Amino acid sequence: MEKTDDIQSCQNEHEEDIPTSSPFDFVMKQFQGKQSSPGKRKDRPSAIKKFFRGFDFGKSEGRDRRETEETEINNSEADDQSEKQDLSVEDGLSHHISEAESPSGEQRFNQFMQKLGKKPNSKNVDLNNCALSAADVTELASLLPFLPELEEINLSWNGCVGGTLKALTVHLHHVNLLKVLRLNSCRLTAEDVTSLGEAFEIVPQLEELDLSWNSSIGGKLSLLTKKLPKGCKIKLLKITDCNLTAKDGESLAEILNVIPKLEVLDLSINKHIGCSMKVIAQDLKNVPGLKELNLHMCGLKQDSLQGLDTALQHLAELRKLDISCNKEIGGGFKGSTAHLASLKNLEVLDLHQCCVTEEDMTVLSQVIPLLSSLQELNLSSNKNVGVSSDPLLGRLRFLPKLKSVAISNCCLHEESFSSLAEAALHLPELEILDLSWNKCVGGNLKLLWGALKLATEIQVLRLSSCNLVAEDLALLTLLMQDGHLARLRKLDLSYNNNISDEGNDYCQKSNDDFRWTHCRFANGGKWLGWANGGG
């Protein structure tokens, strides 16, 4: 600034000292007026003016400097404007390039699935046991807006899902066609359960919900039911091994009031839920379309069984009833089977390890043969099945649709085994027969000779720890050589010490005659396999 002021001061001093017009200017004007036309005076200055221009004594010098400064300023402004235009063009190009290079939502989803080793499917996101991180769950949530046709989400067996579910549920409104949500063993927290409950309103098409193996749900089931809309379309509800409490049983009863279309209810391995089974049973009448009820190891007692029987009168569509591993219901069947016989559509009945008494056997011998649609019956680990004088096993002949009979570890006696063998002659559709851990079978397998000859559909025969002898093995050999048991695929002869050597020798010599895929010998030894005579 000081330098500029000095220059300006110097120019002013020159202007004060030098006259405004000189004699030379006058001569020049006269000369130019005669030699040049007005239109060309500026374009073609005279040689004299050019000569004297260098002696303009400050005035022309100041003017030239000002003109130079103005030109420089104008040029600078023009350069700035040009640079701005160039930058604008570059920004535009960069924007278009960025848009072209950035992946679409579909591409991002495909990349996400491929990163986890899964095949992309816009209708079914199956990330079961994929070691997901919290960041993966968040990323999946951000992709939901690009999956409007999504119907199934499976995040089971990913522990890191716990505590992050809210990030997912807040985006579920983008996938309002969702029908299946599986969150098995995800370490869900109370906050997760709350978030899930709040999401029910935005997934009106949800039909299957599986929360099994999340122990922290215990005592918090009410958080799930608060916003469950009445008339919910849920057809399958699984809450296996979730440490449910008696209080949760009351919450579950409330759920049954708003999900009238429920078809499958699985509460297995919740040992404390039995205390509230009466409350639950009372509301089972609200789900008349129930087809499968699993109460395996639920801590049921005799009074629970009575309440359940009352509910059965409303469950005409029931196909499967599993009340196995509830040891305290033993002795309670006498007053609790009045409505069991009315289940004409029942196909599966599992009563294994229920400590049934001889009195229970008397009742069951009258009821079970009336279940005309029964296909699977499991009475295993009930020792009184074998010692009872009641002819339950003999009456299985009245159930021609039976495909699976499991009577392992039932202390069968020769008489009861004989009754079973006779009944088996009338079971043409039998596919699975389990007689394991019944020592009386050893040496008496010949009693099954007739049944095994007629058992054209049998695929699995389990004779583990039956005290078999070489004669029994020879019988099986003969049946095979005669072309019987053509569809047999699994034969379990393990823990039969008396035939371990003979069995292995037989496999080595006669493998061309084998048609099963697995055969097991010796004391839990390895499975030896053949398929259609192949090694």
Side-chain angles (χ1 to χ4, degrees):
M1 288 295 294
E2 293 179 358
K3 185 175 181 180
T4 304
D5 293 340
D6 292 342
I7 294 172
Q8 187 65 40
S9 176
C10 181
Q11 290 177 347
N12 292 336
E13 289 177 359
H14 282 293
E15 290 176 353
E16 290 176 358
D17 297 338
I18 299 173
T20 57
S21 180
S22 67
F24 296 106
D25 291 333
F26 178 79
V27 174
M28 288 298 300
K29 288 179 182 179
Q30 293 296 322
F31 181 78
Q32 289 175 353
K34 295 178 180 181
Q35 299 294 329
S36 304
S37 63
K40 295 181 181 180
R41 286 175 185 172
K42 292 183 180 179
D43 297 332
R44 298 179 61 186
S46 67
I48 298 173
K49 187 171 184 179
K50 289 180 181 179
F51 175 78
F52 286 106
R53 182 178 293 172
F55 306 95
D56 208 358
F57 300 106
K59 182 177 180 180
S60 62
E61 182 181 351
R63 185 171 58 253
D64 290 342
R65 286 185 177 181
R66 284 195 296 274
E67 290 175 356
T68 302
E69 290 176 359
E70 290 175 359
T71 301
E72 290 177 352
I73 292 171
N74 290 335
N75 289 339
S76 176
E77 291 177 352
D79 290 341
D80 290 343
Q81 187 65 27
S82 177
E83 288 179 3
K84 289 179 180 179
Q85 291 177 352
D86 291 342
L87 288 172
S88 177
V89 171
E90 290 178 2
D91 289 342
L93 289 173
S94 176
H95 177 68
H96 289 301
I97 292 173
S98 177
E99 285 186 342
E101 292 180 351
S102 61
S104 65
E106 181 180 356
Q107 290 173 330
R108 286 176 54 201
F109 172 67
N110 292 342
Q111 292 170 0
F112 174 74
M113 295 297 286
Q114 290 168 0
K115 176 184 70 174
L116 297 170
K118 294 289 186 175
K119 185 178 180 180
N121 185 335
S122 62
K123 290 188 176 183
N124 183 358
V125 175
D126 186 357
L127 298 176
N128 177 46
N129 195 22
C130 281
L132 297 181
S133 65
D136 291 329
V137 177
T138 302
E139 184 176 358
L140 174 62
S142 71
L143 295 172
L144 292 184
F146 307 108
L147 302 171
E149 298 180 353
L150 187 62
E151 295 181 358
E152 295 187 30
I153 298 178
N154 187 353
L155 303 180
S156 299
W157 302 97
N158 289 288
C160 286
V161 172
T164 66
L165 198 60
K166 188 173 183 179
L168 188 72
T169 57
V170 295
H171 291 284
L172 287 181
H173 63 279
H174 294 293
V175 289
N176 54 14
L177 297 180
L178 189 68
K179 294 182 179 180
V180 180
L181 182 59
R182 296 188 177 96
L183 299 169
N184 300 346
S185 190
C186 286
R187 298 181 183 176
L188 299 184
T189 64
E191 183 182 1
D192 295 326
V193 176
T194 301
S195 301
L196 187 59
E198 294 173 347
F200 281 135
E201 293 180 333
I202 56 178
V203 283
Q205 305 301 323
L206 191 66
E207 295 181 357
E208 297 185 16
L209 179 62
D210 193 344
L211 304 175
S212 300
W213 296 291
N214 287 287
S215 58
S216 295
I217 290 180
K220 306 178 184 67
L221 197 60
S222 60
L223 300 175
L224 188 69
T225 63
K226 286 182 178 179
K227 294 191 176 181
L228 195 65
K230 190 173 181 62
C232 185
K233 295 183 179 181
I234 290 180
K235 295 181 179 180
L236 180 148
L237 179 60
K238 291 188 175 183
I239 321 179
T240 302
D241 195 12
C242 286
N243 198 27
L244 298 184
T245 64
K247 182 180 179 182
D248 292 324
E250 297 175 1
S251 299
L252 183 62
E254 295 177 4
I255 293 177
L256 297 177
N257 287 319
V258 296
I259 49 176
K261 296 185 178 182
L262 188 66
E263 296 181 0
V264 178
L265 178 60
D266 193 343
L267 303 177
S268 300
I269 320 179
N270 286 289
K271 297 180 180 180
H272 305 293
I273 201 74
C275 298
S276 54
M277 184 51 61
K278 281 188 175 181
V279 179
I280 296 173
Q282 289 175 359
D283 285 297
L284 284 174
K285 65 179 181 291
N286 296 313
V287 287
L290 193 67
K291 296 180 180 180
E292 185 174 327
L293 180 58
N294 294 319
L295 299 172
H296 166 78
M297 202 181 295
C298 280
L300 301 184
K301 296 179 173 57
Q302 291 186 11
D303 58 345
S304 305
L305 193 60
Q306 293 171 359
L308 180 60
D309 182 64
T310 303
L312 292 180
Q313 63 182 314
H314 305 290
L315 304 178
E317 298 299 319
L318 198 64
R319 302 289 194 274
K320 178 180 179 180
L321 177 60
D322 183 354
I323 54 176
S324 60
C325 296
N326 289 288
K327 297 181 179 181
E328 294 187 52
I329 65 175
F333 284 92
K334 183 177 180 180
S336 307
T337 56
H339 299 99
L340 178 62
S342 65
L343 299 178
K344 300 301 181 182
N345 293 310
L346 193 67
E347 297 176 352
V348 180
L349 178 60
D350 194 341
L351 300 175
H352 84 267
Q353 202 170 344
C354 285
C355 293
V356 297
T357 64
E358 288 194 47
E359 190 175 13
D360 292 330
M361 284 298 299
T362 301
V363 176
L364 293 173
S365 295
Q366 297 171 359
V367 174
I368 291 179
L370 299 177
L371 304 174
S372 57
S373 296
L374 200 62
Q375 297 181 17
E376 298 181 26
L377 176 63
N378 192 341
L379 298 173
S380 298
S381 299
N382 287 294
K383 296 183 177 181
N384 281 310
V385 169
V387 300
S388 173
S389 58
D390 289 288
L392 172 61
L393 298 181
R395 290 182 179 179
L396 294 182
R397 70 178 65 196
F398 300 114
L399 301 173
K401 294 183 180 180
L402 271 179
K403 294 182 178 182
S404 175
V405 176
I407 315 179
S408 68
N409 194 26
C410 283
C411 291
L412 293 183
H413 291 177
E414 185 173 344
E415 183 180 353
S416 54
F417 180 49
S418 180
S419 297
L420 174 64
E422 186 177 349
L425 293 170
H426 305 278
L427 304 178
E429 298 185 22
L430 192 64
E431 296 178 359
I432 301 174
L433 179 59
D434 188 355
L435 299 174
S436 298
W437 301 93
N438 288 292
K439 303 300 183 182
C440 76
V441 175
N444 291 308
L445 195 59
K446 57 183 179 291
L447 296 174
L448 273 178
W449 171 266
L452 292 177
K453 286 179 64 176
L454 298 175
T456 57
E457 301 297 320
I458 197 159
Q459 299 178 27
V460 179
L461 180 59
R462 302 187 186 279
L463 300 171
S464 175
S465 190
C466 284
N467 203 25
L468 299 182
V469 297
E471 181 185 353
D472 299 320
L473 187 58
L475 176 68
L476 292 173
T477 302
L478 185 59
L479 285 169
M480 291 297 300
Q481 290 175 345
D482 289 345
H484 302 294
L485 304 179
R487 300 191 63 184
L488 191 65
R489 294 294 178 267
K490 291 185 179 181
L491 175 62
D492 187 354
L493 304 177
S494 60
Y495 299 102
N496 285 287
N497 296 337
N498 295 331
I499 65 165
S500 58
D501 294 334
E502 292 89 338
N504 285 306
D505 290 342
Y506 174 79
C507 288
Q508 298 299 327
K509 295 177 181 178
S510 308
N511 58 11
D512 288 340
D513 294 325
F514 277 66
R515 296 295 182 272
W516 51 73
T517 56
H518 292 92
C519 180
R520 191 177 185 185
F521 291 97
N523 298 323
K526 70 175 185 178
W527 287 85
L528 304 175
W530 290 267
N532 296 323

